[in-house]
Amino acid sequence: MRIENIEKTRLTADVFEEKNFGSSFSDHMLVCEFKENEWQEPVIKPYGQINFTPAMHALHYGQACFEGMKAFKGENGDVFLFRPEKNFERINKSAERLAMPAIPKEIFLDGLKALIDLDRAWVPSKYGMSLYIRPVIFSTEEIISARGSNSFMFVILTSIAPDYYNKPLRVKVADHYSRAANGGVGYAKAAGNYGASFYPTGLAKEEGFDQVIWTDAATHSYFEEAGTMNIFVRIEDKLLTAPISDRILNGVTRDSLILLAEKNGMTVEQRPIEVSEVYEANQNGSLKEVFGCGTAVVLNNFSAIGYTDKVMELPEITEESWGPQLKKQMNEIQYGIADDPFGWRVLVERK
Ligand SMILES: *Cc1c(COP(=O)(O)O)cnc(C)c1O
């Protein structure tokens, strides 16, 4: 791996006051090209522009997928990653589905650690803030023929994840648009999945909601995901979450919350969740909370769910609510404050 250091850091104290997610980029990025049938030597270099023409394949055919992860700073300045091997496995599942070459572990994981080590000063030390990590692979061949590209680029960039207060979200159940279908790419972090979600999300926003709850494409009667989060429903003392399928993104946060909830003695069932069952539970008072989870927010409770022309107002979040408790436990593991019984934290060593 080659390292080209930046001449002068762009880091200033203002960076840690950043309020917008994913807009303040650190000094370096990792770039690795795939050509002539193999991944070339990765280079860590100053973050900046890359050259391409309007014929770049990815712009036309969307052969592109990404990952989302975070680096956290503990009280003594140690920097941790959270279950990074899960993201490594997942980017290669996404890549395979999109006919892109798998990334070797040395490039993804060793490259990631070297990059975060080099830019460790960019990892905010404030609890609640972190350095967001965005690995991305896209097709780079200069060709507009509708076939898979022969060249690709893998980039890892990092940006400040601010500590934003998560107000409970109002979400709208999709009864027409769909995010994913059987045999499709819903389980992959494919760029096109997000491109396709902005329009229906925009319509929900016009109606006063923050996000869409995606339902099964065939009947729109089962909860699948909430925006770019996996979804959990608590009825009495049971947590329900939709089972992993080819329509559902296998979230690292989802998996971690299931294990954490079970460790707390909470019952978790992975089974299809019917919209009508949640509606009825809300009517009869057995619905306790509904939340979404993902790397960006960890966990966000919902305050209301819109369904056709009805709106279910959900119970208030209290000290008894599980969502905030689970979020706190996750965060404390991530920042190195609590013990790590599952071995999820990975220390970024100083080189
Ligand atoms: C990334 C993502 C998630 C959450 O996955 P994490 O690994 O927990 O960050 C859930 N759903 C969708 C659609 C996603 O893109």
Side-chain angles (χ1 to χ4, degrees):
M1 189 161 10
R2 247 186 23 245
I3 299 188
E4 295 168 14
N5 273 290
I6 199 162
E7 282 173 22
K8 186 172 175 292
T9 182
R10 288 183 283 101
L11 186 62
T12 59
D14 308 349
V15 163
F16 300 119
E17 304 299 318
E18 180 62 58
K19 292 284 171 282
N20 296 311
F21 180 86
S23 60
S24 179
F25 299 98
S26 70
D27 284 335
H28 297 91
M29 62 181 179
L30 177 140
V31 177
C32 186
E33 285 187 78
F34 181 91
K35 54 188 181 194
E36 283 137 30
N37 273 316
E38 57 190 352
W39 287 103
Q40 310 291 311
E41 187 191 16
V43 187
I44 292 179
K45 59 183 190 181
Y47 168 80
Q49 298 195 350
I50 48 171
N51 271 322
F52 60 84
T53 78
M56 182 171 76
H57 185 279
L59 298 178
H60 302 264
Y61 303 120
Q63 240 183 332
C65 67
F66 63 89
E67 268 307 320
M69 48 208 303
K70 281 176 170 177
F72 304 90
K73 196 168 269 178
E75 277 164 3
N76 61 1
D78 282 346
V79 172
F80 303 105
L81 299 169
F82 185 75
R83 308 185 77 185
E85 70 294 340
K86 288 273 176 204
N87 301 88
F88 165 68
E89 288 163 15
R90 192 169 65 192
I91 202 169
N92 281 340
K93 285 204 182 92
S94 299
E96 180 185 32
R97 179 63 181 80
L98 294 167
M100 303 200 281
I103 304 205
K105 201 168 188 167
E106 309 79 71
I107 297 179
F108 187 96
L109 283 177
D110 299 349
L112 173 66
K113 288 176 194 165
L115 178 70
I116 302 300
D117 180 35
L118 187 64
D119 280 347
R120 64 171 57 244
W122 286 80
V123 185
S125 48
K126 184 168 169 236
Y127 178 81
M129 288 183 78
S130 56
L131 192 66
Y132 183 76
I133 305 167
R134 169 54 58 86
V136 58
I137 318 179
F138 51 94
S139 53
T140 52
E141 196 174 342
E142 190 176 356
I143 193 158
I144 52 170
S145 164
R147 54 128 172 102
S149 176
N150 287 317
S151 60
F152 299 90
M153 188 176 269
F154 171 59
V155 180
I156 306 179
L157 44 149
T158 67
S159 71
I160 301 292
D163 179 20
Y164 47 94
Y165 167 71
N166 297 314
K167 64 169 178 36
L169 300 175
R170 297 176 67 83
V171 291
K172 172 84 201 258
V173 177
D175 55 8
H176 174 71
Y177 294 100
S178 303
R179 194 191 83 88
N182 292 333
V185 293
Y187 71 90
K189 267 183 131 60
N193 288 345
Y194 305 84
S197 72
F198 301 144
Y199 178 69
T201 305
L203 295 179
K205 285 186 176 167
E206 280 173 20
E207 290 181 57
F209 295 97
D210 303 296
Q211 282 290 351
V212 172
I213 294 189
W214 302 108
T215 47
D216 64 301
T219 67
H220 294 293
S221 51
Y222 292 91
F223 282 1
E224 300 223 308
E225 297 216 47
T228 58
M229 296 183 285
N230 293 112
I231 189 165
F232 283 83
V233 172
R234 175 181 163 202
I235 296 179
E236 294 296 4
D237 281 342
K238 203 179 275 178
L239 267 184
L240 308 175
T241 189
I244 293 307
S245 72
D246 59 1
R247 301 185 306 272
I248 294 186
L249 203 292
N250 188 356
V252 179
T253 317
R254 173 189 179 279
D255 183 70
S256 307
L257 285 176
I258 291 172
L259 295 169
L260 210 50
E262 286 174 345
K263 190 161 179 295
N264 279 283
M266 301 165 180
T267 305
V268 185
E269 269 181 28
Q270 301 184 51
R271 63 151 175 88
I273 305 167
E274 236 176 316
V275 182
S276 60
E277 136 188 50
V278 175
Y279 187 78
E280 279 158 29
N282 199 38
Q283 298 281 69
N284 70 26
S286 59
L287 182 70
K288 301 298 176 201
E289 57 196 299
V290 182
F291 52 82
C293 71
T295 296
V297 291
V298 179
L299 188 154
N300 209 150
N301 275 84
F302 301 154
S303 57
I305 300 178
Y307 181 50
T308 59
D309 53 357
K310 303 187 269 279
V311 177
M312 320 180 213
E313 297 294 338
L314 303 185
E316 294 274 315
I317 299 306
T318 67
E319 303 238 302
E320 309 295 302
S321 303
W322 287 0
Q325 294 179 35
L326 289 168
K327 177 174 180 169
K328 180 162 182 282
Q329 290 182 23
M330 274 279 282
N331 273 150
E332 290 186 349
I333 294 176
Q334 290 170 324
Y335 287 90
I337 296 168
D339 285 346
D340 178 21
F342 302 98
W344 287 337
R345 271 195 308 260
V346 173
L347 178 73
V348 177
E349 283 174 34
R350 289 168 202 268
K351 284 279 154 58

